[in-house]
């Protein structure tokens, strides 16, 4: 049942984002920023953590989950290190995910050849 819930929640988040892309003039980059900031804001109000606990990977994999991870990392680092935790916490909490994205992006660039689209 956990897989079904994760699939449904992740699909619902993606469907809402697709509707946002189709119905507004917002560019994809701005929508991505809205998702990350939305996850952080929902975490600040204490809403995202129980939602993530219930939805599992369906809530932790999308960009809203990344915002939640950043917020939780900053909150923990501020509790431990004070003001400097604002700058340190997000990097510490998301280092593995960012590193994996860089490594796999580099490997993909070695395997596939990019080319410009003909206009």
């Amino acid at each position: 049942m956990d897989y079904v819930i994760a699939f449904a929640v992740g699909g619902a988040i993606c469907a809402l984002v697709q509707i946002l892309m189709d119905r507004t003039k917002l560019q994809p980059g701005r929508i991505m920023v809205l998702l990350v900031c939305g996850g952080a804001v929902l975490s600040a109000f204490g809403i995202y953590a129980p939602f993530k606990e219930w939805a599992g990977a369906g809530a932790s994999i999308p960009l809203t989950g990344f915002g939640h991870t950043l917020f939780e990392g900053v909150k923990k680092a501020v509790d431990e290190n004070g003001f400097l935790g604002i700058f340190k916490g997000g990097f510490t909490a998301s280092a593995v995910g960012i590193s994996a994205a860089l490594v796999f992006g580099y490997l993909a660039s070695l395997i596939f050849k990019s080319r410009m689209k003909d206009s």
Side-chain angles (χ1 to χ4, degrees):
M1 190 64 178
D2 291 339
Y3 294 119
V4 174
I5 292 171
F7 180 79
V9 170
I13 291 171
C14 291
L16 291 172
V17 170
Q18 188 64 49
I19 291 169
L20 190 63
M21 290 175 69
D22 291 343
R23 302 283 185 209
T24 67
K25 293 184 182 204
L26 289 173
Q27 298 296 315
R30 291 183 183 199
I31 293 172
M32 290 170 59
V33 169
L34 281 173
L35 289 170
V36 172
C37 292
V41 168
L42 289 174
S43 294
F45 288 118
I47 297 170
Y48 206 82
F51 175 64
K52 181 182 161 202
E53 185 70 30
W54 174 75
S60 63
I61 299 298
L63 285 172
T64 51
F66 182 65
H68 170 70
T69 301
L70 289 175
F71 177 81
E72 290 297 321
V74 169
K75 185 172 82 171
K76 180 180 175 189
V78 166
D79 290 342
E80 294 174 358
N81 304 315
F83 181 74
L84 288 178
I86 294 172
F87 306 105
K88 180 178 160 183
F91 291 119
T92 304
S94 61
V96 173
I98 293 171
S99 298
L102 289 171
V103 168
F104 289 119
Y106 179 71
L107 291 175
S109 74
L110 293 176
I111 296 170
F112 300 103
K113 180 178 171 136
S114 66
R115 56 181 171 210
M116 298 293 289
K117 291 183 180 178
D118 293 328
S119 299

